[in-house]
Amino acid sequence: MKTARTVVVEALMHQDQAGYANLVLDAALKNAALSPQDAAFASAVFYGTIERRNTLDYCLNAYLKGGVQKLDSAVRAILRSGLYQMRYMQSVPDSAAVNEAVKLTRAFRKSSASGLVNAVLRRAGSMDLSKAQFQNEAQRLSVLQSVSLSVAQLLLAHYGSEAEDILAASFAPAETTIRTNYLVNSDQQLCEYLQQQGVEAVQGGIPGCYRIRCKGSPAQHPGFLQGRFYVQGEPSQIAACSLGVQPGQKVLDLCAAPGGKSLALAGLMQNSGELFSCDAAPSRVPLIEQAMKRCGVRIAKVMCADASQYNEALANADRVLCDVPCSGLGILGKKPDIRYKQLDDLQSLCTLQYKILENAAKYLNKNGVLVYSTCTINPNENTAVVAKFLREHPDFAPAELPYIPAGALQDEVRGITILPDRCGMDGFYVARLQKKAENENKS
């Protein structure tokens, strides 16, 4: 039978080759049959090792002649995960982390490396990073906050000294945020139900939003399975609720997977009207369909559709939400893979974002409302895209957002940037645009 640490090493070896961290770990846990406690430990070590990879490698490289990358894949994974436990998990004694790492080395038939693993971990575990010297601030952030050099450079360019606080906030324990499914129960009914279930719930910054604490995964909770609530980050809820939908309207969610924003829209529409939930990836469309079915949404028409290409069936809409593909720099805490992006394709990404925004605007009726949102804090993907659109489309005007979290930055197009260090939630951007009536355009 596999141990939790064995599962971690195998998953890290696969992660080194390719794949998204969450999918790699899910597959590893599925095949391991660990106890809930061991699975939780494995998850913590696996994600933590990926999150802190640059820092761990810096410490390890100080005591390895050829560097971490020259090591055998299994030995590299054992060293990284062992050092993570030593430096960042107070519940694991250093001696236990070292001893278990040596056992793993033998279990993976790398006995010849057991002496190296023992010696390197003991020395790297006590390394004083406060005395480390770096060539420049970008390199320091890249190492100490575990991001690629290009991510560090981008954040420094736009946020200066606050870049370190932004990155440090990405290591904070993530809060679980849910939203009331108004098609099944009211806020009061949900709160009463959660209290009966022993779930602690605290009101978030907008109606229907709650931060909860519960044992186990909220996606396995009976209330989730019954469609009473769904898991959705507060910034995503802000984006959906900023659209100002009403029952009976025609509403488009152009980049809808996995479906959380569409669920919020359907609840606010009270299952009345037309809701088109679209996504360009065929593999993600079933996720939307499953969410709609679980939560009792009857008005959704789920489609596989490219948001950048015009579709006549979507014309004459009252409201359009385009939560566009982005660099994801606001959700480093949720998706550790993003930390090491090289950002080489940012210009092409911005071009796609603008194309989606322009296409989305074509669907709106006069006086219609459009919300543009991303889960990045890169102004080039946010303010710059919206500002360019407004310059080139005088029939649109920026509109005030109904929900602005404390600490959010507001730009010249009335959009808001939610920064993790200031707002205590994922980084996000939301802008609301109003299509002018014809007589306004002529005046």
Side-chain angles (χ1 to χ4, degrees):
M1 180 182 250
K2 291 182 180 179
T3 68
R5 287 182 171 90
T6 302
V7 171
V8 169
V9 171
E10 290 178 345
L12 288 171
M13 290 169 67
H14 289 147
Q15 177 67 17
D16 251 1
Q17 297 168 3
Y20 293 107
N22 62 323
L23 299 181
V24 169
L25 182 64
D26 287 349
L29 291 176
K30 186 176 181 180
N31 297 325
L34 298 178
S35 68
Q37 185 176 1
D38 282 349
F41 177 80
S43 297
V45 176
F46 174 77
Y47 281 121
T49 301
I50 295 174
E51 281 184 337
R52 300 284 187 174
R53 190 185 73 195
N54 277 13
T55 311
L56 298 172
D57 285 1
Y58 182 85
C59 295
L60 293 170
N61 284 337
Y63 306 102
L64 290 166
K65 289 182 179 180
V68 172
Q69 293 304 326
K70 295 288 182 69
L71 294 172
D72 174 88
S73 178
V75 176
R76 181 167 56 244
I78 290 167
L79 280 171
R80 282 173 170 170
S81 58
L83 185 58
Y84 174 77
Q85 294 167 63
M86 294 176 72
R87 296 192 70 95
Y88 299 105
M89 297 186 77
Q90 295 181 351
S91 60
V92 180
D94 286 1
S95 58
V98 173
N99 292 338
E100 290 298 327
V102 171
K103 287 181 185 177
L104 282 170
T105 308
R106 294 171 181 147
F108 277 86
R109 299 181 181 180
K110 308 295 177 184
S111 296
S112 60
S114 59
L116 177 143
V117 167
N118 188 336
V120 170
L121 282 181
R122 291 185 185 281
R123 298 177 72 184
S126 59
M127 183 177 181
D128 185 356
L129 283 172
S130 67
K131 297 179 180 179
Q133 295 184 349
F134 303 97
Q135 295 177 2
N136 51 49
E137 182 64 5
Q139 186 194 39
R140 189 183 73 84
L141 286 185
S142 177
V143 170
L144 299 186
Q145 301 298 336
S146 266
V147 291
S148 69
L149 192 60
S150 56
V151 169
Q153 289 169 336
L154 184 147
L155 294 179
L156 280 170
H158 291 294
Y159 296 103
S161 60
E162 190 177 358
E164 183 156 26
D165 292 333
I166 292 170
L167 290 171
S170 69
F171 294 114
E175 287 189 308
T176 299
T177 311
I178 64 170
R179 182 164 182 80
T180 305
N181 179 11
Y182 290 127
L183 304 180
V184 173
N185 46 201
S186 66
D187 287 332
Q188 182 178 347
Q189 290 170 331
L190 176 62
C191 288
E192 290 174 354
Y193 169 79
L194 293 175
Q195 188 176 22
Q196 292 169 2
Q197 294 286 314
V199 177
E200 181 183 339
V202 178
Q203 173 75 51
I206 62 174
C209 175
Y210 296 93
R211 302 183 186 103
I212 66 166
R213 292 182 183 177
C214 65
K215 293 181 179 179
S217 168
Q220 297 301 318
H221 192 279
F224 176 89
L225 300 175
Q226 295 164 12
R228 289 177 175 269
F229 66 84
Y230 46 94
V231 180
Q232 186 180 27
E234 187 165 337
S236 295
Q237 295 187 40
I238 290 172
C241 294
S242 293
L243 204 54
V245 298
Q246 298 293 328
Q249 289 182 331
K250 181 175 182 177
V251 179
L252 314 181
D253 184 359
L254 295 183
C255 306
K261 295 182 185 69
S262 284
L263 291 176
L265 296 172
L268 295 170
M269 295 168 71
Q270 299 174 26
N271 248 345
S272 173
E274 291 182 290
L275 173 60
F276 290 81
S277 300
C278 312
D279 202 87
S283 61
R284 289 166 64 83
V285 170
L287 298 176
I288 307 172
E289 293 173 333
Q290 292 164 15
M292 298 299 125
K293 183 177 180 181
R294 187 185 69 251
C295 292
V297 177
R298 299 189 304 272
I299 59 171
K301 298 179 181 179
V302 182
M303 303 169 56
C304 182
D306 186 340
S308 67
Q309 300 297 318
Y310 187 77
N311 185 338
E312 185 64 38
L314 304 181
N316 300 313
D318 300 293
R319 300 285 188 272
V320 179
L321 174 62
C322 45
D323 184 53
V324 300
C326 68
S327 60
L329 298 181
I331 54 172
L332 300 182
K334 284 184 176 176
K335 296 186 177 181
D337 317 66
I338 297 174
R339 308 187 76 89
Y340 309 106
K341 273 190 173 184
Q342 296 307 309
L343 305 181
D344 297 330
D345 62 345
L346 269 186
Q347 187 53 55
S348 61
L349 185 58
C350 292
T351 300
L352 174 62
Q353 292 163 343
Y354 188 77
K355 190 174 181 181
I356 291 174
L357 179 55
E358 274 203 315
N359 192 52
K362 295 175 184 176
Y363 294 129
L364 276 177
N365 287 326
K366 61 182 180 181
N367 293 319
V369 174
L370 182 155
V371 164
Y372 175 90
S373 63
T374 74
C375 57
T376 188
I377 56 175
N378 175 17
N380 292 331
E381 300 175 66
N382 298 333
T383 305
V385 172
V386 176
K388 178 184 176 183
F389 174 83
L390 290 171
R391 286 195 303 270
E392 297 183 0
H393 297 81
D395 53 333
F396 278 82
E400 195 68 36
L401 287 162
Y403 304 106
I404 301 178
L409 305 178
Q410 193 158 18
D411 60 24
E412 66 268 25
V413 295
R414 295 190 181 180
I416 57 168
T417 299
I418 298 170
L419 295 176
D421 61 312
R422 295 184 182 220
C423 302
M425 59 184 82
D426 289 337
F428 219 81
Y429 180 81
V430 186
R432 191 171 191 257
L433 307 177
Q434 174 95 40
K435 188 171 185 180
K436 299 176 184 177
E438 292 181 10
N439 58 347
E440 288 183 73
N441 295 331
K442 294 176 181 177
S443 59

